[in-house]
Amino acid sequence: MKKKYQNAFFIFGLAVLAVMVAQLDFADTWAKIQEAGYWLAAVILLWFVLYFFNTGAWWVIIKNQDSSSAANKPIKFMWLYKITVSGFALNYATPGGLMGGEPYRIMMLSPKIGTERATASVLLYMMTHAFSHLWFWLLSSLLYVATKWQLIDIPMALIITAVTCFCSVAIWFFLKGYKRGIANSGMKLLGRIPLVKRWAQRFIDEHKEQLDEIDQTMATLHGQNPHAFIGAVLLELSCRIVSALEIYFILQVMPDVHASYLDSILILAFTSLFANLLFFMPLQLGGREGGFLMSAKGLQLTGQAGIFVALIVRLRELVWMAIGLLLIKFDRKEKQGVITNSSATEDSKPQE
């Protein structure tokens, strides 16, 4: 990636990080940090481990693509780990998430394996990440029914039914997308929208071969490499389940709160579902806090517990966002070498 693009990603993320930090109540935040003590360090270190799950899922996807091209360069796992952390940091900072992290991943990976393969791997990882969320929400709904049936009233029954139906239908659509690919169908869908349909049709006409290659890559992983597909999904789903330790750790700070690890999973499931409904908010501001508050009350925990968890999780996100942005800068020298080699390869190709 060119230095100017790296700097643009870094400066944008740094500006958003500064805005988010400025909105904190520093006196209250410092008091909560002191109250959390070493559990805050445990929460931050936990995500050092969790990002290995995310990187592993993406690694499986990349390694099971067609890698026969001589132009492909070896990809080190720890390099991919750095790109994963930075990509999530940019997603935290941007409304809708996908405006920062995914373009960054594609631009970093393209010099190594080509634009089409890099785009396909990132799109497929996005689908796998979302697919695992759907399974997590569905399984959590069943877990709530199995363990908290005595708390279920009519409104909660309607919510659980709606979540179960939504997740089941969405999982079915995702499986159809895995089998057929989504690049062409996604662009055709854009072609039906009045304001962008001319651009979408022109893009389809000019990039038909690349779109077909992306769809073929997706279909190949699902059809010809089912073990790789299942492995990537299980890694992402395991990440969701293990990440509930974050909430469990934080709740240990509060002496009057008695919540199990299963309770932590249910809090995480409801909060992540509620926050994703507000995907257009940078850092999901308000959605995550509201989700923690409502899920805590839904499990008959105190509202103070929900607020405390929300603040500590927000601090963890800010810390890892800062780490991700710093990794963009630390990776510069290595990427310049890759760019030089990539540019030499591109220069040797005939001009279209």
Side-chain angles (χ1 to χ4, degrees):
M1 182 189 293
K2 293 182 179 180
K3 186 189 299 185
K4 64 178 181 179
Y5 294 133
Q6 278 188 320
N7 289 335
F9 279 114
F10 176 76
I11 293 172
F12 171 76
L14 195 63
V16 175
L17 177 63
V19 171
M20 300 308 167
V21 171
Q23 293 180 347
L24 293 175
D25 183 333
F26 291 101
D28 181 63
T29 299
W30 177 245
K32 292 295 190 297
I33 290 175
Q34 291 179 309
E35 185 178 353
Y38 61 84
W39 285 111
L40 176 59
V43 165
I44 294 173
L45 289 174
L46 174 65
W47 278 86
F48 174 78
V49 177
L50 292 175
Y51 282 125
F52 277 96
F53 286 84
N54 299 131
T55 306
W58 193 18
W59 174 269
V60 168
I61 291 171
I62 294 172
K63 288 299 181 180
N64 283 276
Q65 291 177 303
D66 179 18
S67 57
S68 58
S69 174
N72 290 334
K73 299 177 176 65
I75 299 174
K76 297 179 180 179
F77 185 88
M78 289 309 299
W79 176 83
L80 199 67
Y81 180 91
K82 290 192 293 184
I83 303 305
T84 299
V85 174
S86 297
F88 277 114
L90 291 168
N91 279 348
Y92 285 142
T94 51
L98 307 183
M99 297 181 188
E102 273 54 53
Y104 172 78
R105 295 183 194 208
I106 293 172
M107 293 175 72
M108 293 297 290
L109 195 57
S110 293
K112 289 182 174 288
I113 62 176
T115 302
E116 287 79 14
R117 190 178 165 210
T119 303
S121 73
V122 171
L123 287 175
L124 194 49
Y125 176 73
M126 287 167 52
M127 290 181 64
T128 303
H129 188 73
F131 191 59
S132 70
H133 267 94
L134 293 169
W135 275 108
F136 181 60
W137 296 330
L138 178 61
L139 293 176
S140 296
S141 297
L142 300 178
L143 177 64
Y144 187 88
V145 172
T147 61
K148 305 293 181 181
W149 54 268
Q150 69 276 14
L151 300 178
I152 299 177
D153 51 16
I154 293 179
M156 181 58 68
L158 293 175
I159 292 174
I160 293 175
T161 301
V163 171
T164 302
C165 293
F166 166 75
C167 291
S168 299
V169 172
I171 287 171
W172 180 80
F173 275 109
F174 264 79
L175 289 174
K176 299 286 285 186
Y178 275 116
K179 291 180 180 179
R180 300 179 181 178
I182 63 169
N184 276 295
S185 57
M187 291 305 302
K188 289 179 180 177
L189 181 62
L190 288 177
R192 298 178 181 178
I193 301 176
L195 295 178
V196 297
K197 62 181 181 181
R198 289 185 179 179
W199 171 86
Q201 187 57 54
R202 186 169 62 251
F203 186 92
I204 292 173
D205 295 338
E206 295 176 355
H207 300 87
K208 177 63 177 174
E209 184 176 345
Q210 290 89 338
L211 292 172
D212 289 341
E213 184 174 346
I214 291 171
D215 281 343
Q216 182 60 39
T217 301
M218 293 182 176
T220 298
L221 183 68
H222 180 271
Q224 298 181 11
N225 299 289
H227 295 295
F229 168 74
I230 294 173
V233 173
L234 287 178
L235 280 169
E236 281 291 313
L237 181 59
S238 298
C239 185
R240 304 281 82 71
I241 295 172
V242 176
S243 66
L245 282 173
E246 175 179 44
I247 297 173
Y248 182 73
F249 289 164
I250 297 171
L251 291 176
Q252 301 311 301
V253 178
M254 310 189 73
D256 297 331
V257 175
H258 303 285
S260 67
Y261 179 59
L262 293 181
D263 291 332
S264 301
I265 291 177
L266 294 174
I267 292 173
L268 176 63
F270 183 85
T271 301
S272 62
L273 176 59
F274 187 78
N276 275 276
L277 294 176
L278 300 177
F279 66 92
F280 52 87
M281 297 291 292
L283 273 174
Q284 295 173 324
L285 290 175
R288 207 174 280 275
E289 286 75 6
F292 277 123
L293 185 60
M294 287 189 290
S295 59
K297 289 186 176 180
L299 292 172
Q300 295 187 336
L301 302 177
T302 64
Q304 183 181 3
I307 294 173
F308 183 73
V309 170
L311 177 60
I312 300 301
V313 170
R314 183 64 67 197
L315 289 174
R316 183 268 302 166
E317 289 178 339
L318 291 174
V319 169
W320 274 102
M321 183 178 170
I323 293 173
L325 294 175
L326 288 175
L327 289 176
I328 294 176
K329 303 298 290 183
F330 289 158
D331 203 51
R332 179 186 297 173
K333 290 184 178 180
E334 180 182 349
K335 296 282 85 57
Q336 285 175 338
V338 173
I339 292 168
T340 300
N341 295 334
S342 176
S343 299
T345 302
E346 291 177 359
D347 289 341
S348 64
K349 295 179 181 180
Q351 298 294 322
E352 294 182 0

